[in-house]
Amino acid sequence: MDLVAVSREKYYIKEVDADKKSIYCHHDLMGELLIPTHKHDKAQMLYSEGGIVYVTTETRTYFLPARHFIWIPGGVAHSIHPSSEKVMMRNLYFPIEKDEESFYETEGIYPINDLLLQMMLFTNRWNGNLKKGSRNFIIANAIKAILPEICLTKLPLSVPSPKDRRLLKIIDYLEKNWGDTILFSDLASRFGFSERSLYRLFQKDLGMSFIQYFTIRRILKAIELLLEKKLSISEVARTVGYNSVPTFSNTFFKILGQRPSDYLNGVEILKKG
């Protein structure tokens, strides 16, 4: 094992929980394309800049775009997959307290407003354990305390992990054909299902319909393309299968809570900050 690997292991496995009462703070470039599956006793607030991050738990894959954060409760095994080694990761790890609000008990992705953004950027000067009772601990704990007040709705920026091998093949096909008009009847026929049996398979294995799954994945792909800034909004819409830009914009809004143009304008604030 090289020195970099040893350092990573020491950070996210050994150091985070070394002081059970502290808030652990870590800001750094990823420097890699994978943090393998691991877990820690403390809850994690992960905010990223400069790219997209996938967070995979035992049951779901979460899609973390710029200007959003993910809350991961303590004890939840997860792996982290950034789109680039140059993604900046801002992490705060919080000790679990007794009788905490239900907000802190579930995974979720939330937009970060200007207040929370400035508070997170303020922690940029810190790294390591923030001792309980210290000024920095109090400031970091204030970030945690306001989350249930301002993060009222989890965004559906995740998809369940399929277990059925038949469904894995279907999803692989969908992933390779973003821009195509895919009729459910044609999809069922292609893979040897009746429409009714394929509908049941999606519902049983993923807990959602084909339309729900494919719509979320298309919008997640659209976010990736928008952040690359190689295509216009209308070109992104066509690439992920929308012939109508207004329909694409409305669907984007339903999932992310922002129009594509507003989302990109919000991302620009990160650079100014």
Side-chain angles (χ1 to χ4, degrees):
M1 184 179 291
D2 60 31
L3 291 178
V4 174
V6 171
S7 175
R8 289 200 300 265
E9 181 181 2
K10 184 178 179 182
Y11 151 57
Y12 63 79
I13 293 180
K14 295 183 179 179
E15 294 186 10
V16 168
D17 290 328
D19 183 340
K20 301 296 183 182
K21 296 182 179 181
S22 73
I23 295 174
Y24 193 87
C25 179
H26 185 84
H27 301 296
D28 202 358
L29 293 174
M30 276 296 301
E32 56 186 323
L33 293 177
L34 169 67
I35 290 182
T37 301
H38 65 286
K39 60 183 178 180
H40 23 75
D41 295 334
K42 292 177 180 175
Q44 180 178 2
M45 180 182 180
L46 167 60
Y47 170 70
S48 68
E49 298 170 11
I52 299 155
V53 175
Y54 290 91
V55 178
T56 300
T57 66
E58 293 180 355
T59 59
R60 305 186 74 86
T61 295
Y62 292 88
F63 180 93
L64 182 61
R67 205 170 166 81
H68 292 75
F69 75 90
I70 184 170
W71 179 268
I72 306 172
V76 173
H78 59 281
S79 57
I80 299 174
H81 315 254
S83 60
S84 166
E85 296 178 357
K86 297 181 180 179
V87 170
M88 170 61 76
M89 307 276 279
R90 301 190 184 279
N91 296 279
L92 289 173
Y93 299 86
F94 297 94
I96 306 299
E97 306 291 343
K98 291 183 179 180
D99 302 320
E100 287 196 312
E101 294 191 41
S102 59
F103 174 92
Y104 304 115
E105 298 175 354
T106 58
E107 307 154 15
I109 289 183
Y110 304 87
I112 191 165
N113 64 14
D114 290 340
L115 169 64
L116 200 51
L117 173 62
Q118 292 305 319
M119 294 180 76
M120 285 297 292
L121 293 178
F122 185 78
T123 70
N124 184 51
R125 66 192 73 182
W126 309 335
N127 256 313
N129 286 306
L130 311 179
K131 296 291 185 179
K132 187 171 184 178
S134 68
R135 175 176 173 272
N136 291 349
F137 179 98
I138 294 171
I139 294 172
N141 208 41
I143 295 176
K144 177 186 177 184
I146 66 172
L147 296 182
E149 303 296 326
I150 63 176
C151 302
L152 303 178
T153 305
K154 285 193 290 187
L155 298 178
L157 296 177
S158 69
V159 289
S161 302
K163 301 177 181 63
D164 193 296
R165 292 183 180 180
R166 297 170 297 172
L167 202 53
L168 286 170
K169 293 180 181 180
I170 294 173
I171 287 175
D172 182 62
Y173 172 78
L174 296 176
E175 297 278 336
K176 295 175 181 176
N177 294 277
W178 295 117
D180 297 346
T181 299
I182 298 178
L183 299 177
F184 188 65
S185 56
D186 293 341
L187 186 68
S189 177
R190 172 182 288 272
F191 288 93
F193 288 90
S194 68
E195 290 183 52
R196 187 175 183 179
S197 60
L198 185 56
Y199 176 84
R200 287 177 173 175
L201 181 59
F202 265 89
Q203 289 288 357
K204 179 180 178 181
D205 199 351
L206 301 182
M208 61 176 61
S209 69
F210 159 73
I211 292 298
Q212 289 173 313
Y213 181 88
F214 197 38
T215 298
I216 291 172
R217 286 302 291 126
R218 274 181 162 172
I219 295 302
L220 297 185
K221 183 63 179 179
I223 295 172
E224 288 186 41
L225 296 173
L226 287 170
L227 291 176
E228 289 176 359
K229 296 187 177 180
K230 295 179 181 179
L231 302 175
S232 67
I233 290 175
S234 60
E235 289 171 331
V236 169
R238 289 195 296 271
T239 299
V240 298
Y242 287 89
N243 295 323
S244 165
V245 174
T247 300
F248 167 69
S249 179
N250 289 338
T251 306
F252 193 98
F253 182 82
K254 287 179 182 178
I255 291 178
L256 206 66
Q258 294 176 293
R259 302 289 177 185
S261 57
D262 293 335
Y263 173 69
L264 286 176
N265 290 335
V267 171
E268 288 300 313
I269 294 176
L270 297 176
K271 295 181 180 179
K272 297 174 184 176

